[in-house]
Amino acid sequence: MCGIVAYIGSKPAYPILINGLKRLEYRGYDSAGIALLDKNISTYKRKGKVSDLEAFVEDKNTNGFIGIGHTRWATHGAPNDVNAHPHVSQHGHFVIIHNGIIENYGRLKKRLEDRGYKFQSETDTEVLSNLIEYIYLKGNVSAEIAVRLALTKVIGAYGLVIMCKDEPDKLIAARKGSPLVIGIGKEEYYLASDATPIVEYTKSVIYLNENDIAIIKKDELSLKSLTNEKLTPEIHTLDLDVDEIEKGGYEHYMLKEIFEQPRSILDTFRGRVVPDMSAIHLGGLLEVLPRLKEAKRIIIIGCGTSWHAGLVGEYLLEDLARIPVEVEYASEFRYRNPIINKDDVIIAISQSGETADTLAAIQLAKENGAMVLGICNVVGSSIPRLTDGGVYTHAGPEIGVASTKAFTAQVTVLTMMAILLGRERNIISDENYKKLILELVSIPEKIEKILTYSAVFEKIAALYKNANNFLYLGRGYFFPVALEGALKLKEISYIHAEGYPAAEMKHGPIALIDEKMPIVVIAAKDKSYEKVVSNIQEVKARKGIVIAIVTEGDTIIKEMADHVLEIPYTHEALGPLLAVIPLQLLSYYIAVMRGCNVDQPRNLAKSVTVE
Ligand code: M6R
């Protein structure tokens, strides 16, 4: 949610910033802007995409070896040119980019207005730029001190990069709640919200920690705390390649990421399922395993697609490991005074590792003494740093705003955890343990097969692309998949879609069904198969259009459904990993045919770092 990028060194900053903004555009695309420090500071900003900014800047002066850039997901104030970042302070001493929210900006703004400050924009960020400048001028202090003092007055979250016109040899960066990575080059530094704009220049990075302030000259970096203690930076090596963040010949990132799933699932279990398939080894859980396997209750928290993966986790952990599980929206969990016991284990699921509601829910659980584990994709992000243990998903960078490969990687991790805990708790026999592991290992190949049917999904998409509503039905393990299918369709094609447990249809949604309503039913072979067949008959009796996801060779549903999409047979516990693939592709093709921006759907952003 908002992407920030900055550069200081001996190369022209503009191309680095504009390319960086393109890499970060998935984090927000309401407006984009840059500021370059040459003799003076030149600031250019535009509502809309980075390409709009690029066109606007074409005939302008883009000189300078220091600069900052921002791509915005609007929080305070409409998406327009004025509210776009960077924000310049009233007397032009400071220019800043910000990701996050200053919660007490109203009070700070009032105080500054009382002292003669006038504001151009509706943003909280402009308040911060003016606050820094006010302290700088009034206190006659250095830019660094002004930034530090200003930040002690701020309540909220920020990833910030600041330039001061009077100290043109440095950038000042600070982090609280919103991520910031510094790339180390040879006499140059790169800064960004995540590593994607940095990886093509350097693999050596520093992840800023909470309340860190970095003062960065082209040949020197000094790291301090908000209380001015000197800190030693910890240098990490990025495990990321540039081609992982390119489209690689696909029309959209989402399509690439759907097709990457055989590989991303394999990468997620590689090295964790031991070569003879006889054991699961999750290094990030080793220390916490004794407490985890004795947990009285597991509470899974997440948002959006990660919450759906959590629901699959509930079925898996209760079925295979017999541990009671509750799944909560992180945003609800934190505000409803939940009962958290010391022997509960919390599992936080997040692709980005930065989702504000999930982070806040983790804080709450920790304050109540619960052990918190993370299932995250982005290495070095906030959630893995805050948790007591966990498992990375190894899905690789997910750039499409609609989550696809992150979901299947999360479910893969939850599947491994459930099988492992089932074995540790003596719920699963040796034979079943091996059988489940073998089934898991066969999933990538089965997904490869489903992907070869993509032309079939495309044809069905063409038939129903103009529908106004869709219903998605599933039972048991396939209920969360129905929710996920509906979310995928609505977020990228803007068609209204609802996911329901198939049996709940008769308690209300059946009233919606008519001859225009496509109903996607996940009807793969499992213990509820017969019941789902009855649900399909109920839909057909009301003339609804049935698109059924069935197990290969199914003849019964073929007779009654309007369309069937086949998936290979697997153990029902692994069914979600296969059944979700046709739903992802169906949504993708419908959205493309409706002319929607698949990778950057309206109003959304990839990581939601506001509460
Ligand atoms: O990064 P996270 O997994 O914490 O993100 C959670 C949701 O914001 C995310 O899954 C969202 O629902 C996706 N756009 C769904 O495709």
Side-chain angles (χ1 to χ4, degrees), residues 561-580:
D562 297 84
H563 310 278
V564 292
L565 305 176
E566 291 194 337
I567 57 173
Y569 171 80
T570 186
H571 188 291
E572 67 175 343
L574 295 154
L577 289 170
L578 300 186
V580 76

Side-chain angles (χ1 to χ4, degrees), residues 303-306 350-352 355 401-403 410 487-488 491 608:
C303 304
T305 289
S306 295
S350 173
Q351 187 285 129
S352 60
T355 300
V401 165
S403 189
Q410 289 162 348
L487 176 63
K488 281 302 80 99
E491 76 178 317
V608 184

